[in-house]
């Protein structure tokens, strides 16, 4: 079994049931990761856990040091990453508390440090399929053993944040083919690919995206949905780890 990391997003600063055995504070050539890397066990399996927004959920999406996070995970030997993300639902079937295992993404972010390849020579990566299909299939299989709604594919639109989108922006994203919208999917997925890490995402729908629900988006609603949604994520991750 390859060493696996779980990157926890909004609503998952810590992973219930995870027993940390060590806490590593890191410095990388790109600065410090969002939080110490916690190495321990979850559902009986060895796991490294990293809180993407920091221990106290204090780092907004555009300020996250994605390069330091991915570098640090790679340097402790992680080769597979399961990334958890809160998202808004654009597709009319992707409702609050549902899980989505995206198969594609569109990047609308800007101004983020988004590559390790910026010096000395030109280097490109293939990114046709941004998520590792083998890991995606494991998540889908794990979800099939559980009773909550999980969508086996979806296009993740990554926006800059920290504000939510306008209704017109969401309408444009829907025309582009996006099914869900979040703020942290990029450059994380591309950096993982540059580092040679396998990477898949488990997205939790926290709210109907702007203009897709009734009226404005309430932060209380997001928080409430994430409490239930993250319990589903926890079960999904535990089941997936048994078959990875
Ligand atoms: N938009 C962007 N990111 C999000 C949303 C949203 O509606 N909900 C949770 N994360």
């Amino acid at each position: 079994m390859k060493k696996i990391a779980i990157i926890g997003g909004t609503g998952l600063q810590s992973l219930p049931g995870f027993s940390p055995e060590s806490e590593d504070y890191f410095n990388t050539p790109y600065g410090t990761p969002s939080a110490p890397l916690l190495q321990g066990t979850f559902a009986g399996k060895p796991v490294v856990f990293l809180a993407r927004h920091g221990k106290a959920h204090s780092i907004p999406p555009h300020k996250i040091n994605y390069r330091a996070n991915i570098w640090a995970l790679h340097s402790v030997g992680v080769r597979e990453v399961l990334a958890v993300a809160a998202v808004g639902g654009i597709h009319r079937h992707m409702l609050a508390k549902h899980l989505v295992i995206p198969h594609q993404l569109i990047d609308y972010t800007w101004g983020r440090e988004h590559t390790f390849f910026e010096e000395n020579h030109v280097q490109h990566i293939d990114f046709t399929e941004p998520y590792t299909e083998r890991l995606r299939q494991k998540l889908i299989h794990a979800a099939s053993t559980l009773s909550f709604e999980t969508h086996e594919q979806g296009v993740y639109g990554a926006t800059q944040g920290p504000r939510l989108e306008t209704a017109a922006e969401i309408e444009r994203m829907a025309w582009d083919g996006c099914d869900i919208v979040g703020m942290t999917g990029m450059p994380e997925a591309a950096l993982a690919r540059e580092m040679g890490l396998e990477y898949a995402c488990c997205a939790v729908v926290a709210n109907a995206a702007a203009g897709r629900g009734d009226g404005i988006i309430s932060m209380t609603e997001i928080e409430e949905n994430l409490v239930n949604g993250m319990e589903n994520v926890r079960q999904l991750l535990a089941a997936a780890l048994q078959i990875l």
Side-chain angles (χ1 to χ4, degrees), residues 87-90 96 162-167 169-170 181 183 205-223 225:
V87 296
I90 299 177
R163 67 167 176 84
L164 298 179
E165 299 70 37
T166 66
E169 286 168 337
I170 291 296
V181 52
M183 299 174 190
V205 180
N207 55 284
R212 299 302 224 218
D214 303 325
I216 63 168
I217 299 168
S218 120
M219 302 307 140
T220 320
E221 167 204 343
I222 292 187
E223 280 161 26
N225 288 331

Side-chain angles (χ1 to χ4, degrees), residues 8 10 13 17 22 29 43 60 67 75 91 95 99 134 138 153 166 168 173 175 180 186-187 209 213:
T10 300
Q13 280 75 256
S22 71
R67 293 196 298 185
S75 68
H91 191 290
L95 304 174
L99 304 192
R134 194 186 64 80
K138 297 282 181 188
Q153 59 173 42
T166 66
M173 291 177 75
W175 278 105
I180 51 177
M186 284 292 284

